[in-house]
Structures are given as structure tokens and as C-alpha cells.
Amino acid sequence: NYASQLLTDSVGVTIPPSLIGFISGAGGGCAQSLVMGPTSLVVTACVSASKEGESVSAFQVAQKVVQERGIRGLYRGTPAVAMRQAT
């Protein structure tokens, strides 16, 4: 109700609280994917390496990805995660 009232008072636009909740949830899911995308990539790589008998740290995996693909390499697949989280 707070966001809906704030928008009505400041901009003069009336948006139903249910739509505000939907937009807030979708935005939160997208923001979460900015953290969880790289985290999931690193954890998956660590688990995969351990199954092959290698012992690597999360830092080593992240460092290797950044060296090979740049910082954008950590976010590979993040748009798909964001869309999943937003729905």
C-alpha cells in the first residue's frame, strides 16, 4: 500500500497494490540473479571438478573464469536465471 500511495501522491498515477507486489517481486528476482548467477556457476564448476578428482577452491574457479572469459563470463546464463526468478 505504501508504494501505491507514494506513486499516487507524487506522480498522480494509481497502480493497484497487487501490481506493485508483482513488479516488486519480479525486480527482486532479477536482482537476486545478479548474485546467484555467478555463485551457481562457481559452485557447479567446483562440484564438477571434485567429481573428476580435482581439488579447487571457489576463488580459483572464479579467477579462471575471469581470466578466460572476462567478468562477463561469470554472468553467462544470467538472463535465463533472471527470467526464471521474475516469473
Side-chain angles (χ1 to χ4, degrees):
N1 253 352
Y2 173 76
S4 181
Q5 188 62 43
L6 183 66
L7 284 171
T8 300
D9 293 344
S10 63
V11 184
V13 175
T14 303
I15 299 176
S18 58
L19 182 58
I20 295 281
F22 175 78
I23 293 168
S24 299
C30 290
Q32 178 189 11
S33 70
L34 292 176
V35 174
M36 292 308 299
T39 303
S40 296
L41 178 108
V42 168
V43 168
T44 302
C46 286
V47 169
S48 178
S50 71
K51 286 183 179 179
E52 295 175 2
E54 297 177 39
S55 179
V56 294
S57 70
F59 180 76
Q60 289 171 323
V61 169
Q63 187 177 29
K64 183 178 178 182
V65 170
V66 170
Q67 285 174 348
E68 292 178 359
R69 300 181 187 158
I71 194 75
R72 291 181 67 178
L74 289 172
Y75 289 93
R76 186 175 178 189
T78 298
V81 174
M83 290 304 294
R84 183 186 70 210
Q85 293 300 107
T87 58

